[in-house]
Amino acid sequence: MNVVDPFRNNLLTRHEVGKRLKAQGKLVVGWSCTSTPEEIIHSMNAVPVMVFGNLENTKLADVHLPVNSCSFARSGFNSVLKGDYDYLDGFVTSRSCDNRNKIFDMWKHYSEIPFIEFINTPHTRTEGAYDFFFNEILRFKSSLEKAFGETISTSGLKKSVHVYNRNRLLLKKVYELRKREPPLISGAEALEIMLSSMIMSKEDHNGLLESLIEEAPKRVDPPKSGVRLLISGSVLDNPELLRIAEIAGGNIVIDDLCTGSRYFWDPVDSDSDPWHAVAERYLRKISSFSMIENEERFKHTIEMTKQFDVEAVLIFTLKHCDTHLFDAPQLINELKNLGLPALHLEWEHSQRGLAQLKTRIEAFIEMVSGVG
Ligand code: SF4
């Protein structure tokens, strides 16, 4: 058995995982943006799970959405219409891009999920924005309490912060294994580990991470040496894309993704009042591209390239994802100034176009490694 198999298996059977949690008496609450303060949901004895679709066709969602809407959000909505998420007790999203915001309205209108909530996360980090967001956090707490008849206590939230911070710490340790040359965990495997953390109980995931950290140094099948790559983008839920780059001679040693380092890099301050600490963390964490003021985010990307000894960068942007499309040229410039080659790839959240992406990635890796 490969050291990553337990994570992969959970990921591949994520709806069964969700249904099992329900059968064990847990509430299961879906979320769709990594700015959703999961700890608050967790502290009412619920399991927050990220909602995402699959690479199949989106016929059901296509009836309701414009052709130029993001295929990732479309695919999640399609899964909801298909009934894949019928086991959810609730769904929460946080204000991010227009696609996600508008699809929230669709969820409300067409899904049968009993509790649907929206957190109005500001797109700046001024003091006024913080005060507003802190009140949003308290409103969200009351909304959950009212809907589920639970009381969310400060001590309960503290415990949840502890569980989530433990997960963040362990994930960082796994990422440390990628600093080696060659890395001990491949990029595709790291993505599977990351995604699985978003769809199962954090306590169970922490247990799996502890075993992985112990077992990985003894593994008999580590990745081979290759061009050390950073991968940047928004959400990426298709490990196949990373496998293509790794088979072509790359090693994705670090990422700058919503479904990667940006999800867990910053802990919640466990020494402060947890309500304020959660608000601070989710407003001031390494932001997604929907936040204004992208300097901080680029600083994180550049820091990652240094820490992980990166030789080149792949930027994956989903078609019609305005926020990322606006930022990509600026990021490429910043990387160029550091002498780092970058390839920008637009992709659809589907099986279509993979062959073309493969050709471009192979040519880029050949060029960077001086082969060919
Ligand atoms: S990929 Fe882009 S457009 Fe799609 S939901 Fe994410 S941020 Fe929005």
Side-chain angles (χ1 to χ4, degrees):
M1 191 169 86
N2 176 297
V3 288
V4 181
D5 282 351
F7 300 91
R8 185 175 301 132
N9 294 341
N10 276 293
L11 183 61
L12 291 175
T13 58
R14 67 186 196 275
H15 295 306
E16 281 70 39
V17 172
K19 287 173 196 163
R20 255 199 320 271
L21 288 165
K22 274 210 72 136
Q24 291 161 9
K26 294 271 188 189
L27 292 165
V28 183
V29 177
W31 55 266
S32 83
C33 173
T34 52
S35 294
T36 307
E38 288 179 62
E39 289 90 337
I40 299 177
I41 303 169
H42 180 270
S43 62
M44 62 163 196
N45 198 27
V47 181
V49 294
M50 186 186 184
V51 167
F52 50 93
N54 50 45
L55 301 181
E56 291 162 15
N57 74 64
T58 52
K59 279 187 195 150
L60 298 175
D62 295 348
V63 175
H64 305 284
L65 301 176
V67 285
N68 59 349
S69 65
C70 149
S71 51
F72 173 79
R74 174 187 299 266
S75 159
F77 182 50
N78 194 74
S79 287
V80 172
L81 295 177
K82 243 173 78 193
D84 292 347
Y85 282 104
D86 280 357
Y87 57 90
L88 291 184
D89 296 290
F91 172 73
V92 184
T93 196
S94 160
R95 181 160 175 259
S96 59
C97 65
D98 286 347
N99 271 283
R100 199 176 264 133
N101 297 348
K102 292 314 292 177
I103 287 183
F104 168 78
D105 282 337
M106 299 279 187
W107 277 69
K108 257 172 80 173
H109 196 77
Y110 294 105
S111 93
E112 297 194 352
I113 296 169
F115 169 80
I116 299 200
E117 183 57 275
F118 182 83
I119 301 173
N120 197 352
T121 307
H123 285 185
T124 63
R125 291 154 166 175
T126 60
E127 280 316 305
Y130 175 78
D131 292 343
F132 174 85
F133 186 54
F134 181 66
N135 282 322
E136 262 309 89
I137 293 277
L138 296 183
R139 187 191 62 76
F140 177 52
K141 165 193 184 275
S142 303
S143 174
L144 286 170
E145 288 177 329
K146 195 167 154 213
F148 295 104
E150 299 277 343
T151 303
I152 301 177
S153 65
T154 300
S155 59
L157 182 59
K158 264 194 177 235
K159 280 186 197 141
S160 297
V161 165
H162 176 76
V163 172
Y164 271 70
N165 275 352
R166 176 94 191 127
N167 193 251
R168 292 175 180 122
L169 182 81
L170 292 169
L171 283 170
K172 264 200 185 163
K173 286 189 178 175
V174 172
Y175 269 45
E176 284 292 313
L177 301 174
R178 304 169 73 190
K179 282 188 175 167
R180 303 189 190 193
E181 178 47 38
L184 269 179
I185 302 284
S186 76
E189 289 171 336
L191 183 61
E192 290 169 325
I193 294 166
M194 277 308 313
L195 291 169
S196 63
S197 89
M198 300 173 171
I199 53 89
M200 59 190 285
S201 116
K202 280 284 189 276
E203 289 85 345
D204 292 348
H205 198 257
N206 286 346
L208 292 183
L209 287 173
E210 275 155 14
S211 310
L212 172 74
I213 291 162
E214 206 180 309
E215 293 305 316
K218 302 178 225 156
R219 76 183 294 188
V220 289
D221 56 349
K224 297 190 176 56
S225 273
V227 176
R228 296 180 67 85
L229 299 167
L230 176 143
I231 180 171
S232 177
S234 55
V235 279
L236 212 156
D237 60 345
N238 182 6
E240 211 38 54
L241 280 181
L242 279 63
R243 250 176 229 120
I244 288 174
E246 296 192 315
I247 290 170
N251 267 331
I252 292 157
V253 292
I254 183 63
D255 70 73
D256 163 36
L257 299 171
C258 288
T259 45
S261 69
R262 294 207 298 268
Y263 175 66
F264 73 86
W265 211 254
D266 299 309
V268 174
D269 179 359
S270 52
D271 295 328
S272 322
D273 163 67
W275 297 103
H276 278 288
V278 165
E280 278 281 344
R281 192 267 172 189
Y282 281 91
L283 191 66
R284 305 204 199 279
K285 77 181 179 71
I286 302 155
S287 58
S288 82
F289 285 57
S290 53
M291 282 292 233
I292 298 165
E293 301 151 1
N294 54 17
E295 292 82 6
E296 278 299 309
R297 188 171 55 254
F298 291 160
K299 227 193 263 169
H300 169 73
T301 315
I302 288 162
E303 181 54 33
M304 294 287 101
T305 63
K306 290 178 183 156
Q307 276 190 27
F308 287 79
D309 209 5
V310 164
E311 296 168 276
V313 175
L314 295 176
I315 301 174
F316 281 97
T317 310
L318 275 151
K319 283 212 169 87
H320 310 302
C321 173
D322 298 1
T323 47
H324 287 74
L325 285 166
F326 272 108
D327 272 7
Q330 204 181 328
L331 178 59
I332 290 170
N333 250 340
E334 299 270 346
L335 294 166
K336 230 194 232 162
N337 292 340
L338 293 172
L340 283 172
L343 175 67
H344 181 199
L345 298 147
E346 274 187 71
W347 67 292
E348 281 279 5
H349 192 265
S350 80
Q351 298 286 6
R352 282 195 312 269
L354 282 186
Q356 209 189 6
L357 287 176
K358 182 169 178 277
T359 309
R360 292 190 61 202
I361 292 170
E362 284 170 349
F364 178 70
I365 291 176
E366 271 186 20
M367 188 267 293
V368 174
S369 58
V371 179

